[in-house]
Amino acid sequence: MEAEDEKPNERDLLCGWRSFRPKVLQKLNTPKWFLVFLTIYSFMQGMIATGLTAAGLTSLEKRFKLSSKQSGMIIAANDVSALLLIIFISYFGGHRNKARWLGIGALVTSLGCLLFALPHLLVGKYTPLEIQRTGLGDTCLFNTTGTPSGVEKCTEAKGYTAWKYMLVFVGAKLLLGAGTTPLFTLGPAYIDENVSPKVAPMYLGVWFTATFFGPGIGYVAGGSLLNVWVDLIQPPGVDLTPDDPRWIGAWWLGYFFGGLLLLCTSIALLGYPKEMPGARERRMNAIREGLLPARDEHIQGRLKDILPATKAILTNRTFMFNTCAFCCTTLIATGLGPFVSKFIQSQFGKSSSTAGILSGIVIIPGTAGGIFLGSYLIKRVDVRKSCKIAAKYCFIFQFIGTWAVLTFLIPGCKTTLLAGISHPYPFNNRTLSEIDISAPCNSLCHCSGRDYDPVCGVDKVSYFSPCHAGCTVQVKDKEKMKKTNLLSIEKNYVNCRCIPSPETSVPYGSAKQGTCDRDCKNLIPFLFGAVVLLIFNFMNATPNKTVVLRCVPDNQRTYALGLQWLFLCMFGSMPGPVVFGAFIDKTCILWEETCSGRGSCLEYNNELLSYLLVAAGLFFQILSAALYFGSWFFCKSIDSTPAVPDVDHPSTPQLQHRLSPPQTPVPGFVFRQEKQTADQQADPEQEALAQAGPDSRSSSPVPGIARYSIDDDSVCLSFKTAGDESERRFLPQSESSI
């Protein structure tokens, strides 16, 4: 590492851009200010890529006729680019200016945000289907001759997307993933190498809190933006509310303004130096004191060193068990997280905007509380034991959090009783195994199967539309029609041929707009259980990163984080949304029909949805807990490497047994010489077995003997290995290391 070992030029440690490095900017050249800008970057990417996307997912599916699996594929595209770039960025970026790579990442992320909002401009203004309907009204135009009373034309809402818009979304997500890649690899490594090891957990905790606080704010902000009409102003004759199923909110606004803020943040990050003043000396002292693992001098950041570095990390059992466990929890978080808002809508009967806000209310205290508690516990741990204790915490928190998944079994709304789908038509002898929204009672109505406008009959059964309920007459309130727009009026229908009448004097029943009451309940218990689930799962955030940073050599930390991120993308965040999206689609009982085929899901089987999510969640949570136990089992604390002899009590047991080799082989060993007091008696000679390398360039542990003797003036150390013997003498200091 010749390039890295050279002392940097004093100007290279200044904050600025190329030759522009004014003195006023140097006030920002501190770890705390860097943490501020990194926090904004991390917060915004979490808010946009996770929170806004998940909150606006239902509106996006309605607007562009997407299924849950298709929207899951858009979300998963975020990790495809990360998968391709992670090795390159983590390895080469780890040996270069990490701050500059982070600034480029923020810039690319901002471009991805702006591109994701682009389809809104290309697609045109949105007009609800009812305004465009031709020929047929929403009632049954009963025709006893069987001749259609009108000619139905296939019309979609204006701006219905084609496959090209899907490509734009995927391309934007690819940019978002590429821009995020350096954040989770180079970001924590840059913080870790510029602050003291004792305070690093708190810095990482603040960063993690911002990272996972972002999605919570994104849910709240996204839910609030969904109360705004997608085109900001509704078209003439339309006055819908967010509770109307035809409402589509302004899902794109957050991406636009978030992209602009990230653009400003990238400029600030690009001005930071490769290392901050005093960081190198602080880190070398920590390594000499045994607070951090030593560097692996065989790895020098060259292309030919990739394979040895990769082999060393992949054969590190602590790292591999920890990473596999994290993959399982990531698969659940990225798979279930984007669909939480949809789950609340279906399971508890809330609008898309309300569901987004409720999701944020759950995520903010859950993630922030969990990360704060995890960081606080790690900060109180002895640095030399932080690796093993952090691995232990990961297992305990994961095991407890596993059972919180049962929260999704809390009953909410009953599945909608939809005639012909989940409930038979009253005047139909066919069984439910023959799912069909058409029946003899509406066969001569010639109803459209594309316009979902549910009504609730007096029999407490919902129908696909007034036409499918056989309603021939709409009751109009003329006074109300004068005061308000057509689409905002709650409509009532009579003479519905498919609905039995409760009165014998009237042959057919009546209906009103909307689905019937589904007996929704238990929203508060569900939200409380979700907070508990998030707290225990996110308590692992800082311990997990602590294990990775402490179980590998110092100069392989960035590459280890990159490899972990590679595994997370490949086996966690990339398949997660697709797998859970497919699970959710399996519970759909009613699909939207469009001119080009099947669209988004309109109604779900709530009971089956809960069971599937709990089964998948429990499986991956239990597997994650088992893998965390393996990481704890194989982890060795730094203090299990050659210990520091206690010269005050030279007969202590630590000098009497063979010391176990370090988890990652490191040449030589460390002695700490405490300051001698005047009344100390110098022992003439003490002997300890240790792992010593015959050559400072060798990383293979070699058995040998170390002897030391202490007199009034100096300390003499002699090293003896096979065929080699050396001796060093130095003056005692308050704390010295060799």
Side-chain angles (χ1 to χ4, degrees):
M1 301 289 289
E2 292 83 356
E4 290 191 11
D5 290 338
E6 292 179 1
K7 190 172 182 180
N9 188 296
E10 193 171 320
R11 182 171 176 80
D12 294 337
L13 300 179
L14 298 178
C15 184
W17 302 272
R18 299 184 69 85
S19 61
F20 181 70
R21 301 174 187 266
K23 184 178 293 185
V24 67
L25 283 181
Q26 307 319 308
K27 295 180 180 179
L28 305 179
N29 196 15
T30 64
K32 291 181 179 179
W33 272 107
F34 175 81
L35 182 64
V36 169
F37 294 115
L38 187 71
T39 296
I40 295 174
Y41 174 20
S42 188
F43 173 83
M44 291 305 300
Q45 77 80 30
M47 174 180 171
I48 295 168
T50 304
L52 290 178
T53 301
L57 202 60
T58 304
S59 293
L60 205 66
E61 291 176 356
K62 285 182 182 179
R63 185 73 170 103
F64 300 102
K65 315 295 182 185
L66 303 173
S67 66
S68 295
K69 186 176 180 179
Q70 289 174 318
S71 56
M73 292 173 66
I74 293 176
I75 296 170
N78 186 84
D79 298 301
V80 173
S81 53
L83 191 65
L84 299 174
L85 297 173
I86 188 66
I87 294 295
F88 172 78
I89 290 178
S90 62
Y91 185 76
F92 292 102
H95 294 279
R96 288 161 177 79
N97 190 332
K98 299 180 181 68
R100 186 172 299 166
W101 284 71
L102 288 166
I104 295 173
L107 177 63
V108 174
T109 304
S110 69
L111 296 177
C113 292
L114 298 175
L115 181 61
F116 200 89
L118 183 62
H120 170 72
L121 300 177
L122 301 177
V123 79
K125 292 191 174 182
Y126 167 70
T127 306
L129 280 168
E130 187 169 334
I131 298 299
Q132 302 179 56
R133 191 175 290 147
T134 61
L136 295 177
D138 57 356
T139 57
C140 172
L141 303 179
F142 191 73
N143 188 337
T144 56
T145 64
T147 304
S149 57
V151 179
E152 181 181 0
K153 295 181 181 178
C154 185
T155 57
E156 299 286 4
K158 259 187 185 178
Y160 170 68
T161 186
W163 59 268
K164 58 183 179 181
Y165 295 115
M166 181 85 172
L167 291 181
V168 175
F169 285 127
V170 170
K173 278 294 184 180
L174 289 174
L175 283 178
L176 285 170
T180 304
T181 301
L183 176 61
F184 294 102
T185 55
L186 305 182
Y190 190 84
I191 291 175
D192 188 56
E193 67 189 27
N194 283 285
V195 300
S196 168
K198 296 180 181 179
V199 300
M202 289 308 296
Y203 274 80
L204 291 175
V206 172
W207 174 71
F208 266 120
T209 302
T211 301
F212 295 105
F213 206 77
I217 298 296
Y219 273 103
V220 175
S224 301
L225 290 174
L226 291 180
N227 286 317
V228 180
W229 182 254
V230 63
D231 297 313
L232 304 181
I233 301 175
Q234 297 191 43
V238 179
D239 189 18
L240 299 178
T241 65
D243 293 326
D244 193 289
R246 295 160 293 182
W247 175 273
I248 294 180
W251 56 270
W252 56 275
L253 271 179
Y255 288 93
F256 178 74
F257 289 107
L260 296 180
L261 181 57
L262 277 170
L263 186 62
C264 299
T265 305
S266 68
I267 297 174
L269 289 172
L270 286 169
Y272 276 90
K274 182 177 181 180
E275 61 183 72
M276 295 183 182
R280 175 171 300 207
E281 293 77 8
R282 188 187 307 115
R283 189 152 198 86
M284 295 308 296
N285 288 335
I287 293 176
R288 284 194 293 267
E289 293 171 9
L291 299 178
L292 296 176
R295 299 161 61 89
D296 186 347
E297 300 300 337
H298 282 93
I299 308 301
Q300 301 184 15
R302 297 170 301 199
L303 186 62
K304 67 179 183 178
D305 294 331
I306 289 184
L307 288 180
T310 304
K311 180 182 177 182
I313 293 175
L314 295 183
T315 54
N316 186 323
R317 290 176 292 185
T318 299
F319 171 83
M320 289 305 298
F321 274 92
N322 177 278
T323 297
C324 291
F326 203 18
C327 284
C328 293
T329 54
T330 300
L331 190 144
I332 298 173
T334 58
L336 186 57
F339 300 107
V340 167
S341 180
K342 176 181 283 191
F343 181 83
I344 293 177
Q345 290 178 58
S346 177
Q347 198 76 11
F348 298 99
K350 300 299 179 181
S351 66
S352 58
S353 58
T354 303
I357 294 173
L358 290 175
S359 300
I361 292 174
V362 167
I363 289 175
I364 290 172
T367 56
I371 293 170
F372 174 79
L373 290 174
S375 302
Y376 176 75
L377 291 174
I378 290 296
K379 185 179 183 298
R380 294 174 59 87
V381 173
D382 183 357
V383 176
R384 295 180 181 84
K385 300 178 180 178
S386 60
C387 182
K388 192 172 186 69
I389 294 180
K392 177 182 177 181
Y393 283 163
C394 285
F395 166 67
I396 294 174
F397 298 154
Q398 186 64 34
F399 180 78
I400 298 174
T402 294
W403 309 108
V405 175
L406 298 176
T407 297
F408 285 91
L409 285 179
I410 295 176
C413 302
K414 295 178 181 178
T415 302
T416 303
L417 292 178
L418 197 61
I421 303 296
S422 58
H423 192 275
Y425 271 95
F427 302 121
N428 192 359
N429 294 326
R430 286 186 293 180
T431 63
L432 269 181
S433 60
E434 304 172 23
I435 295 178
D436 191 356
I437 58 175
S438 298
C441 60
N442 61 31
S443 60
L444 298 180
C445 295
H446 309 289
C447 305
S448 169
R450 290 189 295 274
D451 303 341
Y452 185 52
D453 185 17
V455 294
C456 176
V458 292
D459 57 348
K460 303 303 179 184
V461 176
S462 298
Y463 296 84
F464 188 87
S465 70
C467 182
H468 288 85
C471 303
T472 58
V473 179
Q474 176 184 343
V475 179
K476 300 178 180 179
D477 188 341
K478 295 182 179 180
E479 292 298 323
K480 192 171 183 180
M481 289 180 67
K482 293 178 181 178
K483 298 178 181 179
T484 186
N485 290 316
L486 178 64
L487 291 185
S488 64
I489 302 173
E490 184 178 292
K491 302 170 186 177
N492 294 293
Y493 303 88
V494 296
N495 197 31
C496 302
R497 302 173 65 87
C498 295
I499 303 175
S501 174
E503 303 174 10
T504 56
S505 58
V506 180
Y508 303 115
S510 60
K512 64 178 181 179
Q513 190 176 33
T515 57
C516 297
D517 180 38
R518 297 188 292 151
D519 190 24
C520 298
K521 56 189 176 183
N522 296 327
L523 176 60
I524 301 301
F526 171 79
L527 296 178
F528 178 78
V531 170
V532 173
L533 172 64
L534 289 171
I535 286 176
F536 279 103
N537 277 274
F538 280 94
M539 283 178 76
N540 274 337
T542 301
N544 181 281
K545 281 292 181 284
T546 301
V547 172
V548 175
L549 292 171
R550 299 292 176 255
C551 75
V552 298
D554 180 70
N555 58 335
Q556 291 188 32
R557 294 169 302 112
T558 303
Y559 190 48
L561 290 172
L563 281 179
Q564 185 186 59
W565 188 247
L566 174 68
F567 278 97
L568 294 182
C569 292
M570 189 182 300
F571 302 110
S573 54
M574 196 162 66
V578 179
V579 170
F580 275 83
F583 281 162
I584 293 173
D585 281 345
K586 290 289 184 184
T587 66
C588 183
I589 60 175
L590 179 63
W591 289 95
E592 179 185 19
E593 294 296 331
T594 68
C595 294
S596 56
R598 194 172 74 174
S600 58
C601 184
L602 300 174
E603 295 289 346
Y604 292 94
N605 184 329
N606 288 342
E607 291 79 8
L608 181 59
L609 179 60
S610 294
Y611 293 143
L612 274 179
L613 293 182
V614 168
L618 276 179
F619 173 79
F620 289 111
Q621 288 279 80
I622 292 174
L623 179 60
S624 178
L627 291 169
Y628 271 130
F629 178 81
S631 174
W632 175 30
F633 180 80
F634 289 111
C635 187
K636 295 178 182 178
S637 305
I638 294 178
D639 64 349
S640 68
T641 61
V644 179
D646 187 353
V647 295
D648 295 335
H649 304 85
S651 60
T652 52
Q654 66 179 357
L655 302 177
Q656 306 301 323
H657 66 279
R658 178 175 293 273
L659 299 172
S660 59
Q663 183 174 345
T664 303
V666 177
F669 56 103
V670 179
F671 280 104
R672 179 185 296 173
Q673 174 63 42
E674 301 291 349
K675 185 175 182 179
Q676 302 292 312
T677 57
D679 59 346
Q680 278 186 304
Q681 298 295 325
D683 199 307
E685 183 175 292
Q686 290 293 337
E687 183 176 274
L689 294 176
Q691 302 290 346
D695 193 320
S696 61
R697 295 167 295 177
S698 173
S699 64
S700 302
V702 179
I705 296 176
R707 296 185 178 90
Y708 68 92
S709 58
I710 307 172
D711 55 33
D712 294 337
D713 299 324
S714 64
V715 177
C716 178
L717 291 179
S718 61
F719 304 88
K720 183 176 182 180
T721 59
D724 188 20
E725 184 172 358
S726 60
E727 180 177 303
R728 296 188 65 176
R729 182 178 296 274
F730 61 93
L731 296 176
Q733 302 176 17
S734 59
E735 186 177 32
S736 61
S737 303
I738 296 180

